[in-house]
Amino acid sequence: QVQLAESGGGLVQAGGSLRLSCTASRSIINFNAVGWYRQAPGKQRELVATITRAAIPNFADSVKGRFSIFRDIAKNTFYLQMNRLKVEDTAVYYCNADGVDAGIGQYWGQGTQVTVSS
């Protein structure tokens, strides 16, 4: 079993920045990809950004150019840097570690609230 511990959510004004962190209880290099998803009230959970084992990032169109994803393998931690935040970015953000293809399963963080005020 793998635990993912998130931190960094909060309240920010539109145009501001936040950085989310997710620390895994084992090395993240074992996973095919790690990343972030979000769920706004009344909406389905959606992909925000992922980064593969080979460090290839992928972003939802809605966040391209504003968000970045990076990792610190030595710390078993990956990050979501969110800049130029918009009110519509308000959601609960979940980190994810996908090791299904590697045979080690898929794991989710507990979620952290990000609220962007106008």
Side-chain angles (χ1 to χ4, degrees):
Q1 192 70 11
V2 177
Q3 283 76 47
L4 300 179
E6 300 184 36
S7 62
L11 173 65
V12 65
Q13 285 190 324
S17 298
L18 281 175
R19 178 179 292 182
L20 305 183
S21 302
C22 183
T23 299
S25 59
R26 65 176 293 177
S27 176
I28 58 175
I29 201 65
N30 295 307
F31 294 96
N32 299 99
V34 295
W36 298 89
Y37 292 71
R38 68 187 180 187
Q39 188 166 18
K43 295 187 177 181
Q44 290 189 331
R45 190 173 297 189
E46 63 176 4
L47 180 146
V48 177
T50 60
I51 184 167
T52 69
R53 182 188 291 134
I56 299 172
N58 178 52
F59 297 95
D61 288 343
S62 60
V63 307
K64 283 180 181 176
R66 300 188 296 121
F67 291 12
S68 59
I69 185 170
F70 57 100
R71 59 188 185 177
D72 186 333
I73 294 173
K75 294 182 179 179
N76 297 341
T77 300
F78 54 101
Y79 306 88
L80 182 70
Q81 178 66 42
M82 305 183 290
N83 299 327
R84 304 202 312 274
L85 281 159
K86 303 177 180 180
V87 171
E88 50 264 44
D89 294 318
T90 295
V92 177
Y93 284 69
Y94 298 90
C95 63
N96 170 270
D98 180 3
V100 172
D101 289 347
I104 56 175
Q106 180 169 215
Y107 302 93
W108 293 90
Q110 78 280 9
T112 186
Q113 177 70 45
V114 171
T115 302
V116 184
S117 64
S118 59

